[in-house]
Amino acid sequence: MDFKGNSDYRHDVPGCTGVLVTSLGTPEAPTAPAVRRFLAAFLSDPRVVEIPRPLWWLILHGIILRVRPSRVARLYQSVWREDGAPLLSFARRVGSALQEELDTRGGPLKVGLGMRHGTPSIEEALEQLRQAGVQRLLVFPLYPQYSGSTTGSAFDAVAQVLSTWRWIPELRMITHYHDHPGYLEALVETIRRSWEEAGRGERLLFSFHGLPKRYLLAGDPYHCHCHKTARLLAERLGLKEGEWQVAFQSRFGREEWLKPYTDHLLREWAEGGVKRVDIVCPGFATDCLETLEEIDQRNRELFLEAGGKEYHYIPALNDEPAHIRALADVVEQHIQGWPEASSLWDQEAVAQAAEISRQQALALGAKQ
């Protein structure tokens, strides 16, 4: 194997820590061909769909990729922004804001943004961090609740790229932050602000992305993480039993997924006499197709048509200052023990050590 990095190592550049912020990704355009390419990559991930590969290949290429791209492209068109897909647009803003926040806290931390599927890719982001002299790497998937289909898949992608590098950086990974105080307080802040501006509904629904039930039975902790997040939020908001509930959205296929289903529950509430609901999606760090189209558009229509009167979607945290501060707190927590987290970090001493390393390498015949 031709390992990367053979000639790019710089003995005169002090090493630093990189923070790889990663999310799922999005099609490059709201068109059927672009959506088909995205779905082909996303649904081919064995972490996402745990079905024997030969059988799934026939289903995916024989049915799904023939039918879904055109329909999904129309959904994307309803939420597409001037600067592109919502998820990527907000993720870029989060990455930039996180870099600014970390800069204000001191320490040479470099933030890179890579998507699990689509562009910019995880490989591209890691290469940019490598070129910046990163020798320690913190992988930060923007998934508060762990699932093998999201966080686990991100790790697979990082490991695949690093398997081609000659010099592997020190590696850490944030697998979840579903109960981090800063994350919870940021959500509480945005919910309370929404209530102050638009009034408070009869019930608050915490809607999380769904998973097949068999993933839970196989040991995936996602279901438990979601319920803990909701319970901690309800406690901080002072909600009583019956004033809030957890549900799961975005199911796909015919098998049983985590219940209750968001759309079924909203219809049940409306038909049962609930007139106003507020809905928030704590599992989505940024707004995307699943929040803006499915929750804010499609489920709104469903609730109102079933007899509801007022439906209020509370946006994702996106690049809200409280969210960025919380993410920076999570980063600082996970880099403990690395030089950038130490009050003894001495830039001059590090530069001197790098120069000594360079002179020694040149003496042994290394290239400048």
Side-chain angles (χ1 to χ4, degrees):
M1 177 181 291
D2 182 16
F3 291 101
K4 295 181 179 178
N6 297 17
S7 61
D8 290 335
Y9 174 68
R10 294 284 303 277
H11 293 273
D12 58 339
V13 176
C16 64
T17 289
V19 180
L20 174 65
V21 174
T22 181
S23 189
L24 176 65
T26 183
E28 296 181 359
T31 63
V35 170
R36 184 176 293 107
R37 289 192 296 272
F38 173 75
L39 290 179
F42 171 53
L43 296 177
S44 293
D45 188 341
R47 290 274 196 178
V48 174
V49 181
E50 298 182 12
I51 294 177
R53 293 296 92 184
L55 173 60
W56 179 239
W57 191 95
L58 292 174
I59 297 173
L60 178 61
H61 292 273
I63 302 174
I64 295 174
L65 294 181
R66 294 175 181 268
V67 177
R68 288 185 64 84
S70 295
R71 184 175 71 83
V72 175
R74 289 192 294 271
L75 301 181
Y76 272 107
Q77 291 165 11
S78 71
V79 299
W80 207 260
R81 299 161 51 95
E82 291 185 2
D83 55 353
L87 184 149
L88 181 55
S89 173
F90 284 120
R92 282 175 171 153
R93 289 161 63 175
V94 167
S96 296
L98 179 59
Q99 180 71 76
E100 292 178 4
E101 176 67 20
L102 292 172
D103 287 344
T104 66
R105 301 188 183 195
L109 295 168
K110 305 293 184 181
V111 176
L113 175 67
M115 299 291 107
R116 177 63 180 93
H117 303 288
T119 57
S121 68
I122 286 177
E123 182 176 12
E124 291 169 337
L126 286 174
E127 178 61 21
Q128 290 177 354
L129 292 173
R130 188 175 70 85
Q131 293 291 343
V134 164
Q135 295 181 12
R136 294 164 294 279
L137 178 65
L138 177 65
V139 182
F140 195 170
L142 293 181
Y143 308 119
Q145 297 78 22
Y146 176 91
S147 172
S149 61
T150 51
T151 311
S153 178
F155 176 81
D156 290 345
V158 171
Q160 183 177 11
V161 174
L162 295 184
S163 70
T164 69
W165 287 18
R166 178 170 298 280
W167 186 3
I168 304 298
E170 293 183 64
L171 183 64
R172 295 179 185 175
M173 182 167 182
I174 299 169
T175 60
H176 62 86
Y177 55 101
H178 67 285
D179 55 358
H180 189 277
Y183 155 73
L184 295 171
E185 289 304 318
L187 284 166
V188 167
E189 179 180 311
T190 193
I191 293 169
R192 284 179 172 158
R193 184 171 63 243
S194 173
W195 286 347
E196 292 172 359
E197 295 174 352
R200 176 174 166 176
E202 299 169 57
R203 295 182 187 176
L204 176 61
L205 180 61
F206 299 107
S207 182
F208 295 87
H209 200 292
L211 284 178
K213 182 180 178 180
R214 58 188 170 88
Y215 290 17
L216 165 65
L217 300 179
D220 196 304
Y222 178 76
H223 181 265
C224 301
H225 285 183
C226 292
H227 276 274
K228 184 176 183 181
T229 294
R231 175 176 57 80
L232 293 175
L233 288 173
E235 290 175 357
R236 283 166 167 76
L237 291 166
L239 297 178
K240 301 176 183 178
E241 184 177 353
E243 294 181 336
W244 64 279
Q245 191 164 338
V246 171
F248 297 91
Q249 64 183 82
S250 309
R251 65 189 181 279
F252 174 76
R254 297 182 179 181
E255 69 174 303
E256 182 179 1
W257 281 42
L258 300 177
K259 291 182 176 180
Y261 300 143
T262 295
D263 54 351
H264 289 188
L265 183 61
L266 287 169
R267 182 183 294 108
E268 177 184 318
W269 281 0
E271 293 175 348
V274 176
K275 298 303 180 184
R276 153 113 193 208
V277 298
D278 300 325
I279 184 166
V280 66
C281 301
F284 295 88
T286 60
D287 276 310
C288 56
L289 181 71
E290 287 80 2
T291 62
L292 299 176
E293 188 283 325
E294 181 181 358
I295 295 298
D296 198 22
Q297 295 181 17
R298 201 184 330 156
N299 279 289
R300 176 189 300 276
E301 294 176 2
L302 180 153
F303 180 75
L304 297 178
E305 290 175 357
K309 299 300 182 183
E310 295 184 56
Y311 178 101
H312 187 64
Y313 167 63
I314 301 172
L317 293 174
N318 297 316
D319 58 342
E320 286 285 335
H323 186 212
I324 301 304
R325 290 193 298 271
L327 297 180
D329 289 344
V330 174
V331 169
E332 287 192 333
Q333 173 186 333
H334 283 268
I335 65 171
Q336 292 302 307
W338 278 349
E340 292 81 354
S342 174
S343 59
L344 300 179
W345 177 256
D346 186 335
Q347 293 281 3
E348 183 177 353
V350 171
Q352 291 175 353
E355 175 60 20
I356 293 173
S357 175
R358 186 182 75 88
Q359 294 295 340
Q360 292 174 339
L362 290 175
L364 292 172
K367 294 182 180 180
Q368 180 73 21

